[in-house]
Amino acid sequence: MKISIIMPIYNTGRLLRPQIQSILDQEYRDYELILVDDGSTDDSGAICDEFADKDKRIVVIHKKNGGVDEARNTGIDAARGQYLYFVDSDDELLPGALQTLKDGMENHEGVDISVAGYVYSHEGKADPPFLPVSSRLFSRNQLMDELMCPKYQNLGMPWTNLYKASVIRDNNLRFNKNIHTIDDRVFMVSYLCAMKGLAFHTTQPIYKYNLGIGVSFQIKNKYDKRSLTIFDGQCLIFDAVRNHGFSAKSIWWARHRMINSYDKKRESFLGYGDKEAVQYLDDKFFSIVPNYIYRLFKIRQSAKNFLVTLRIIKE
């Protein structure tokens, strides 16, 4: 088989059927669908078994709850396909999604990753696509530049990417279960560091993302110690980008994101009075970024904000 589709599932029974059906409705048929029931306490597991009884391409793994990244890693270990594709259980594939990703990988020589677009869905109604449809090939360096750039910051979503299983297995790549919210982005950066070939990128939407349902939205606006790992993830990304031969532009943006993450998390945990978290941030950040670099960065940001206020430059 060509594609192994890996779907981690935890208590999404009310949304699970449409996602599974959107995969079964794809015209492209050469795939296996690995449903990893991560210890669900609702009817998700029973729904998985129900679909598996009707379609031999579906593999169900029931496991003790360990989180989305552990579930994805379980799927990686079980996958038999040439390519790996990760989807969430509360979204939907758009028609032609698998064919688009597969063609991007195989219709051009030397491609190691196929990347497509997506749309947001608000209460079942999909927004218009972000960009006009266009396609091009990137080198790994060019794709990293696009990934780090704020204009394309959503490139890191796993459900827009078709990965080569050989790159993942040969380099023992796994999702980091200690990183929350930006674990997807950390994985993609690790993949770009490991791959040698080209990237195919199309803005053609292949995925409908149901906005406001995932774990990241549950922990975003309340006190949660796990949000410290957003900063940890940005540190991992910065370290990977600067040590794997990527451009000065990518390194600058990776550092920029890490510094912004430090500032935001420090302010947040100061507000909650969590001195231990603040000390952790300070110690880790200044072990990576010299104090004078941080001061220069803040001066630059202040100058830029002043020029934006005067409307001399755009934000």
Side-chain angles (χ1 to χ4, degrees), residues 3-237:
I3 301 175
S4 292
I5 304 169
I6 298 169
M7 183 191 300
I9 298 161
Y10 180 71
N11 288 353
T12 52
R14 66 186 182 89
L15 298 164
L16 183 55
R17 292 180 188 275
Q19 172 62 305
I20 295 177
Q21 195 60 52
S22 74
I23 295 171
L24 298 179
D25 288 344
Q26 295 288 309
E27 290 186 9
Y28 183 81
R29 312 289 291 174
D30 189 14
Y31 63 82
E32 65 175 350
L33 173 57
I34 302 173
L35 304 176
V36 184
D37 171 27
D38 190 36
S40 296
T41 57
D42 66 355
D43 60 348
S44 295
I47 293 172
C48 292
D49 293 335
E50 174 191 325
F51 275 96
D53 288 341
K54 298 176 182 178
D55 197 310
K56 293 182 179 180
R57 293 171 300 172
I58 298 177
V59 177
V60 179
I61 300 173
H62 298 285
K63 62 179 291 294
K64 182 180 178 181
N65 180 254
V68 62
D69 294 310
E70 185 176 297
R72 286 172 176 156
N73 293 338
T74 298
I76 291 174
D77 292 337
R80 298 172 293 165
Q82 182 178 354
Y83 309 123
L84 301 187
Y85 180 44
F86 303 94
V87 299
D88 289 346
S89 61
D90 49 11
D91 302 319
E92 292 179 45
L93 268 66
L94 297 175
L98 297 181
Q99 189 70 53
T100 297
L101 288 170
K102 180 258 184 188
D103 287 349
M105 187 73 82
E106 297 191 343
N107 289 355
H108 309 86
E109 187 176 352
V111 171
D112 279 347
I113 186 171
S114 180
V115 183
Y118 68 100
V119 293
Y120 285 127
S121 176
H122 301 263
E123 298 179 351
K125 185 177 180 181
D127 290 345
F130 298 121
L131 299 167
V133 175
S134 64
S135 303
R136 63 173 290 189
L137 292 174
F138 289 110
S139 68
R140 64 190 284 274
N141 281 11
Q142 289 171 326
L143 186 60
M144 184 65 84
D145 284 348
E146 300 294 326
L147 178 63
M148 290 295 107
C149 178
K151 182 180 178 182
Y152 295 107
Q153 58 185 317
N154 289 327
L155 274 176
M157 307 302 187
W159 25 259
T160 61
N161 309 324
L162 187 65
Y163 300 95
K164 273 190 175 178
S166 59
V167 174
I168 291 174
R169 293 189 180 113
D170 291 349
N171 294 278
N172 196 29
L173 300 182
R174 293 295 185 270
F175 286 86
N176 190 327
K177 64 182 182 180
N178 296 317
I179 303 295
H180 297 273
T181 306
I182 65 166
D183 46 341
D184 304 339
R185 194 177 187 85
V186 171
F187 180 83
M188 185 167 180
V189 168
S190 298
Y191 187 90
L192 292 186
C193 289
M195 66 179 256
K196 306 299 182 184
L198 300 174
F200 172 81
H201 178 241
T202 178
T203 57
Q204 173 68 45
I206 62 159
Y207 196 87
K208 185 168 71 172
Y209 177 68
N210 288 321
L211 193 63
I213 295 175
V215 172
S216 61
F217 290 92
Q218 297 171 20
I219 70 171
K220 192 172 184 179
N221 295 315
K222 63 181 182 181
Y223 176 76
D224 193 314
K225 203 87 165 187
R226 289 180 301 171
S227 69
L228 268 177
T229 67
I230 297 174
F231 170 69
D232 292 330
Q234 296 292 3
C235 292
L236 288 174
I237 290 171

